[in-house]
Amino acid sequence: MDSFLSVLGNISWWMWILIIILIVAIRDIFFQSAHTISHNFPIVGHLRYWLESIGPEMRQYFVANNREELPFNRIERSWIYASAKRENNYEGFGTDRDIYAHQHIFVKNQMMAYKIGPDHPNAKDKCFLPCAKVIGSYNKRRKPFRPGSAINVSAMSFGSLSAAAVESLNLGVAKAGAYHNTGEGGLSPYHKKGGDIIFHFGTGYFGVRSDDGNFSMEKLKVLVNENPCIKAIEIKLSQGAKPGKGGVLPGAKITPEIAKIRGVEVGKDVLSPATHKAFDTIPELLQLIEDIAEQTGLPVGLKGAIGKLDQWEALADLMIKTGKGPDFITVDGGEGGTGAAPPSFADHVSLPWVYGFSSLYKMFLDKKLTDRIVFIGSGRLGFPAKAAMAFAMGVDCINVAREAMMSIGCIQAQVCHTNRCPSGVATQNKWLQGGIHVPLKSDRLAQYFKTFRKELIEITHAAGYEHPCQFTMDDIQVNVDDDFLHSDLKSTYGYEKSKVPFKSMHELYACEFLGGQDFHDIPK
């Protein structure tokens, strides 16, 4: 044995490299049959797979130009990063966008911009921009809620995102006076760091799940009573990444902590069905909404990616008949999101946000129901000009998901579904999560929101308005096609949004239902 070890010890380092290469070559040729390239080209073939694995990063940094990447191009990501870090987010020498491209947005400025006085809320706080509507006001819920910010964090669950990411987001919204949607993974300790919460559940009912996998009203009541940070409840019907499809959370990813939060068993695969168990019909859905609102006192809303409108129309007709209904509707775009999904769903199922929202809003408008509902837009709207367009179309609030992730460090590696997110945002790997410095990242989320609101307010003032809710569809022009060239939103989508009953920012500032009270200096 000593002589054998002595022989090994005398082998030089370069010979060890040759031995390892020889072993890999023998393995490639004689012992594996799964990969043709590495069999036919041993050793060298592995380089091909390695280059393929880093292809997105190579194209992102060295190949693609500033405007051609999807889902977010380099200019868009750079604006978010610079805004979050409070760096210079301006661009020089004019725009490098093709301003004649299809769907390019133009905001019509007023000859003389809106002027604020010295006692105006925006003179004291350049990023003060709450929702113009109160959620739950029409239906007279016991605990109505006015979101303290026009931009908020969309539904992303703990499990999909890391603990450090969720904590950074919640601390960030607390610092920015916004709200944080939990996603369907339940309410975790990382959601309870000071931010307002929209509690969201889907077909898995995680966090409010009975032993048989159904919805538990008793668990929801306990959850709401124990957590006053919860300001509203959202029922997910579908989402942009995979509308009409459930999902499986592998047992290997279910830690004791996740199992406790979600109300499931450790180490056992958990199925999120494609459809709900708690209701099968539109009347049953409406009854569930009313039961939850009555039992908790909170506003209740729906989230959906839009496709066919027949069941939405049935809901609207029932709202007219009963005088009841959801307090808010979150419209998700079919552009996809942070959740993993088959390309067939992410690429083709459900409408993009502008088509889906305009179709749904127009239907509710025709039935004179828009004043009863707070409309929330979600689908790559995390930029001031896109937000102005969304408000002109009828949105009252905006939720952002991937943009919020980028503000805390996401690099668009597009490996959210692999548990190998290099930035630590979308992984349960403790080592990778360790790269997220929560206090710093929460500051960056807050700064992104503040910069976003400040620039949206400036665009609003340039258009001659005090609040974005005052935008009309005549105020936004879009390029349509080579024949029709350009048109305003009213002509393009065939409706004019209903007027929002807005008086002044002073009134919003003094509202007793205003969220983000730790952020806003509310006069008592």
Side-chain angles (χ1 to χ4, degrees), residues 203 236-247 272-276 303-307 342 345 349-350:
T203 57
K236 188 188 84 171
L237 303 177
S238 59
Q239 66 185 66
K242 45 187 174 183
K245 181 176 175 60
S272 293
T275 56
H276 279 267
K303 176 181 179 178
I306 307 304
F345 272 79
V349 181
S350 89

Side-chain angles (χ1 to χ4, degrees), residues 386-397:
K386 286 187 177 181
M389 178 196 69
F391 273 93
M393 293 177 70
V395 153
D396 300 297
C397 266

Side-chain angles (χ1 to χ4, degrees), residues 128 130-138 140-149 177 179 196 231-232 297-299 507-517 520 522-524:
F128 176 73
C131 179
K133 288 182 180 177
V134 177
I135 302 176
S137 175
Y138 178 86
K140 296 180 172 55
R141 307 303 188 196
R142 296 196 302 276
K143 302 175 184 176
F145 171 57
R146 186 192 296 276
S149 172
Y179 69 68
D196 290 338
K231 305 299 183 182
L298 295 176
E507 183 184 52
L508 306 188
Y509 189 81
C511 177
E512 61 178 309
F513 308 121
L514 185 64
Q517 298 248 357
H520 303 301
I522 308 299
K524 302 300 181 184

Side-chain angles (χ1 to χ4, degrees), residues 61-340:
Y61 293 113
F62 302 112
V63 179
N65 67 36
N66 286 345
R67 295 290 187 185
E68 70 180 359
E69 288 179 276
L70 291 172
F72 295 90
N73 62 47
R74 185 178 292 126
I75 292 294
E76 289 172 329
R77 297 197 312 275
S78 296
W79 182 85
I80 293 173
Y81 296 146
S83 299
K85 296 175 184 177
R86 210 171 186 175
E87 295 175 351
N88 186 347
N89 63 2
Y90 285 29
E91 60 183 42
F93 211 64
T95 181
D96 63 354
R97 282 183 179 271
D98 178 3
I99 62 174
Y100 300 101
H102 177 57
Q103 288 195 333
H104 186 78
I105 300 166
F106 304 92
V107 181
K108 296 180 183 177
N109 60 297
Q110 182 75 283
M111 185 174 71
M112 289 181 281
Y114 179 85
K115 186 176 182 180
I116 62 174
D119 63 338
H120 192 277
N122 288 136
K124 304 171 185 176
D125 180 356
K126 296 181 185 299
C127 63
F128 176 73
L129 186 60
C131 179
K133 288 182 180 177
V134 177
I135 302 176
S137 175
Y138 178 86
N139 290 314
K140 296 180 172 55
R141 307 303 188 196
R142 296 196 302 276
K143 302 175 184 176
F145 171 57
R146 186 192 296 276
S149 172
I151 176 174
N152 303 280
V153 172
S154 190
M156 297 182 286
S157 65
F158 171 52
S160 174
L161 300 192
S162 67
V166 173
E167 185 172 357
S168 298
L169 293 173
N170 194 260
L171 277 170
V173 298
K175 294 173 181 178
Y179 69 68
H180 185 183
N181 191 306
T182 63
E184 64 176 316
L187 183 71
S188 74
Y190 313 106
H191 287 104
K192 299 187 284 187
K193 301 297 178 179
D196 290 338
I197 288 292
I198 304 293
F199 180 76
H200 166 115
F201 68 82
T203 57
Y205 306 116
F206 302 125
V208 289
R209 180 184 175 100
S210 62
D211 293 338
D212 62 355
N214 210 326
F215 170 71
S216 171
M217 182 68 78
E218 289 305 312
K219 287 188 176 181
L220 179 62
K221 287 167 59 178
V222 170
L223 188 75
V224 169
N225 289 336
E226 292 180 350
N227 298 280
C229 59
I230 299 176
K231 305 299 183 182
I233 310 293
E234 182 176 81
I235 303 171
K236 188 188 84 171
L237 303 177
S238 59
Q239 66 185 66
K242 45 187 174 183
K245 181 176 175 60
V248 176
L249 186 65
K253 295 184 70 174
I254 301 178
T255 64
E257 181 181 34
I258 291 176
K260 182 179 179 181
I261 293 166
R262 295 197 176 209
V264 297
E265 296 182 40
V266 177
K268 184 177 179 181
D269 290 353
V270 176
L271 172 69
S272 293
T275 56
H276 279 267
K277 291 183 179 180
F279 55 88
D280 292 313
T281 65
I282 299 301
E284 289 176 357
L285 170 60
L286 189 63
Q287 188 59 54
L288 179 64
I289 291 171
E290 293 303 315
D291 288 346
I292 291 174
E294 177 59 32
Q295 294 288 330
T296 65
L298 295 176
V300 182
L302 302 174
K303 176 181 179 178
I306 307 304
K308 297 179 180 180
L309 289 179
D310 53 338
Q311 291 181 329
W312 287 101
E313 190 163 5
L315 173 64
D317 290 338
L318 197 59
M319 290 171 63
I320 295 171
K321 181 179 178 180
T322 63
K324 301 175 182 178
D327 299 291
F328 65 96
I329 296 177
T330 302
V331 177
D332 205 7
E335 292 88 342
T338 57

